[in-house]
Amino acid sequence: MVPDENLGGDQHLATHRQDQTLVLKTIGQLYDAAANPELWPTTLAAVAHLFKTPVAQINLYNVSDSSLSFSVMHGLEYDQESLARYAALSVTDPMSQAAVRSPGKAIRCGQIGTREAMRSSELYREILKPYGIEYRMAATLGEPDGQIFALGFIRGPEGPDFDDDDVDLLSEFTPHLRRAMDLYANLSKNQTGANFALSALDSLSI
């Protein structure tokens, strides 16, 4: 985040410290949500505030069948039909495909192509435009031919578009997102194992 050039040196330092404190607090919330998925709505609200954007979302996307296994959104609500359609049409969207092909890299739509190219996709015409979605930024993790975790941000036509400072901040987040998702996956696996063991015990007759 670039400080206001009109601020004095002490104010620059204070602003930087405040920003870093907010970043560290939000990263902590990311790990909390990975351990307790019920916290994702609160965490996404905090992440959206940090990035000064009205909408933030996290998805687990299955590349093989263009479906979503897990999706939480702050600031916007899709109906289930639109959410499924969004996933299915992502293959027509330059931004979505660029993000899937570049796991671990923060990307904003302005880096991918012109506004005209973005608006020519089926996803834009059927889902993005009707929902007032114009500018996007995302970071993905996973395998291009497997499952993809995506942390995404949205702004409407009034903007502003995401810029390189936003991308830099998201890049700072990405390693923590990876660790948080690894934690979530491990905890989910352990919980599944525990549930299986309990079911087996319940099936035993005394």
Side-chain angles (χ1 to χ4, degrees):
M1 186 177 298
V2 179
D4 189 331
E5 293 182 356
N6 294 321
L7 294 177
D10 291 342
Q11 289 174 295
H12 275 299
L13 183 59
T15 300
H16 176 72
R17 285 174 176 168
Q18 290 172 358
D19 291 345
Q20 287 302 111
T21 298
L22 184 57
V23 169
L24 292 174
K25 179 181 178 181
T26 309
I27 287 172
Q29 289 178 273
L30 196 66
Y31 288 111
D32 290 342
N36 182 1
E38 292 182 359
L39 296 177
W40 272 120
T42 303
T43 296
L44 285 178
V47 173
H49 174 70
L50 178 65
F51 282 88
K52 297 180 173 61
T53 183
V55 181
Q57 65 185 113
I58 188 162
N59 297 323
L60 177 57
Y61 175 71
N62 303 303
V63 178
S64 60
D65 60 1
S66 299
S67 66
L68 291 172
S69 296
F70 173 79
S71 181
V72 181
M73 179 170 284
H74 166 78
L76 182 67
E77 290 188 13
Y78 291 118
D79 58 58
Q80 288 302 310
E81 182 179 351
S82 295
L83 188 61
R85 190 64 175 155
Y86 186 113
L89 290 176
S90 62
V91 295
T92 73
D93 176 49
M95 171 71 182
S96 298
Q97 291 307 297
V100 167
R101 290 194 301 268
S102 304
K105 182 179 180 180
I107 296 175
R108 59 183 178 88
C109 57
Q111 295 173 314
I112 306 305
T114 64
R115 297 307 311 158
E116 290 72 20
M118 296 294 169
R119 291 169 178 163
S120 67
S121 73
E122 287 184 74
L123 179 65
Y124 182 86
R125 293 194 302 270
E126 290 193 28
I127 304 295
L128 303 185
K129 185 177 180 180
Y131 275 93
I133 298 170
E134 190 68 24
Y135 302 107
R136 290 172 293 155
M137 178 175 68
T140 62
L141 300 169
E143 300 298 330
D145 58 350
Q147 286 190 318
I148 299 289
F149 275 108
L151 176 62
F153 302 91
I154 292 168
R155 289 176 181 156
E158 70 281 0
D161 195 355
F162 295 98
D163 59 24
D164 290 341
D165 287 340
D166 295 317
V167 171
D168 289 343
L169 180 56
L170 183 52
S171 296
E172 184 178 343
F173 252 69
T174 303
H176 298 284
L177 178 63
R178 181 184 300 278
R179 295 181 193 124
M181 292 301 97
D182 286 344
L183 174 62
Y184 171 76
N186 289 333
L187 289 175
S188 297
K189 185 185 302 182
N190 290 339
Q191 186 61 48
T192 299
N195 290 341
F196 178 80
L198 287 174
S199 296
L201 289 172
D202 288 342
S203 68
L204 296 177
S205 58
I206 298 176

